[in-house]
Amino acid sequence: MTLINAGPSGSLRLAPSILAADFGALASAVHEIDTETDWLHVDVMDGHFVPNVSIGPPVVQSLRRYSTKFFDCHLMMSEPGRYLEAFAKAGADGCTVHVEVGGTQGLISDARALGLRVGLAANPDTAFERVAPFLGDVDLLLLMTVFPGFGGQSFMGEVMGKVEEARHEVDSNSLAIDIEVDGGIDATTAVTAVRAGANVLVAGSAIFGHSDPLEAAHALRAAALTGRP
Ligand code: DX5
Ligand code: ZN
């Protein structure tokens, strides 16, 4: 199922990550970049799957009142199944779970039953073969370009082979899914990732860490579209 405001699969989308925004002024931070936002990326960390804690359903619920964008929730959690319903009720549009936590088929069905758009994520050192069996059942494949847990890390170019592999598999089987990259994306690495086959770009510090977030988002999109950083 594809929700109306997700947009067509495969088109270029910019997904600013609120992890790098000022949590004390989240609504205005999100509002400021609204015209350059396709999806809003919400990083959820449980202090167990990753060594950091971030935000949960109450923040999604509050933010929902201030934005009509597609909320792309990235669940960096060991037990995402316990929280899918809470995220759906809070106003998440899509939830992405990590393949490393196991129980993938059940998590996909549970997320679908809740009406969510479904994503599957893989860490940089997780082989494409781990996610390949599920590609026919999900709407999005998230290939991490850093080890999850923190914003502001450096893009891992070695993941591009996996992005190419995924793009080849998706196109040759005419699968209607998005390929998202997350971690260290800026105007330069966005070009590399799009060239390899990614179509959804998550960016935190390159946007919210900039003195003019809207201009930074605009430049990132322009680079991705033109292939020139
Ligand atoms: C990392 C998160 C990312 C993070 C990206 O664990 O999943 O979404 O916010 O941040 P930057 O763009 O700063 O690498
Ligand atoms: Zn993320």
Side-chain angles (χ1 to χ4, degrees):
M1 178 174 61
T2 302
L3 300 183
I4 296 158
N5 65 345
S9 297
S11 57
L12 182 81
R13 291 197 200 90
L14 193 54
S17 164
I18 60 168
L19 187 66
D22 177 357
F23 284 177
L26 210 42
S28 59
V30 162
H31 179 71
E32 191 181 354
I33 53 151
D34 190 70
T35 54
E36 287 294 342
T37 302
D38 297 311
W39 291 358
L40 205 60
H41 188 78
V42 180
D43 282 310
V44 179
M45 304 180 182
D46 68 351
H48 190 263
F49 179 69
V50 289
N52 199 3
V53 176
S54 57
I55 55 181
V59 174
V60 171
Q61 190 177 353
S62 298
L63 208 50
R64 191 70 286 180
R65 291 169 38 222
Y66 297 93
S67 173
T68 56
K69 298 292 178 184
F70 183 91
F71 281 7
D72 171 39
C73 298
H74 176 194
L75 307 187
M76 290 165 272
M77 313 178 87
S78 297
E79 295 191 72
R82 292 176 61 179
Y83 303 95
L84 286 171
E85 189 173 356
F87 278 102
K89 282 192 175 146
D93 296 293
C95 280
T96 295
V97 298
H98 271 262
V99 72
E100 295 85 6
V101 304
T104 302
Q105 204 65 64
L107 289 169
I108 293 170
S109 335
D110 290 353
R112 283 247 178 270
L114 289 162
L116 292 162
R117 202 171 188 271
V118 187
L120 185 62
N123 283 342
D125 59 353
T126 297
F128 178 66
E129 287 66 35
R130 288 281 301 278
V131 293
F134 305 104
L135 292 187
D137 302 323
V138 297
D139 303 299
L140 172 139
L141 175 65
L142 166 53
L143 297 174
M144 292 302 301
T145 42
V146 298
F147 282 97
F150 300 91
Q153 303 181 75
S154 298
F155 176 80
M156 296 171 67
E158 59 267 41
V159 177
M160 292 306 99
K162 190 161 53 175
V163 174
E164 286 169 8
E165 217 175 332
R167 175 51 64 198
H168 178 76
E169 186 77 6
V170 166
D171 288 353
S172 49
N173 294 292
S174 304
L175 298 171
I177 73 173
D178 293 296
I179 300 178
E180 180 175 59
V181 284
D182 180 7
I185 300 294
D186 58 21
T188 303
T189 57
V191 171
T192 306
V194 167
R195 221 172 259 159
N199 71 286
V200 184
L201 304 169
V202 176
S205 28
I207 293 176
F208 291 109
H210 196 276
S211 56
D212 185 342
L214 183 63
E215 174 52 33
H218 181 77
L220 210 161
R221 184 192 299 280
L225 285 170
T226 61
R228 284 192 307 275

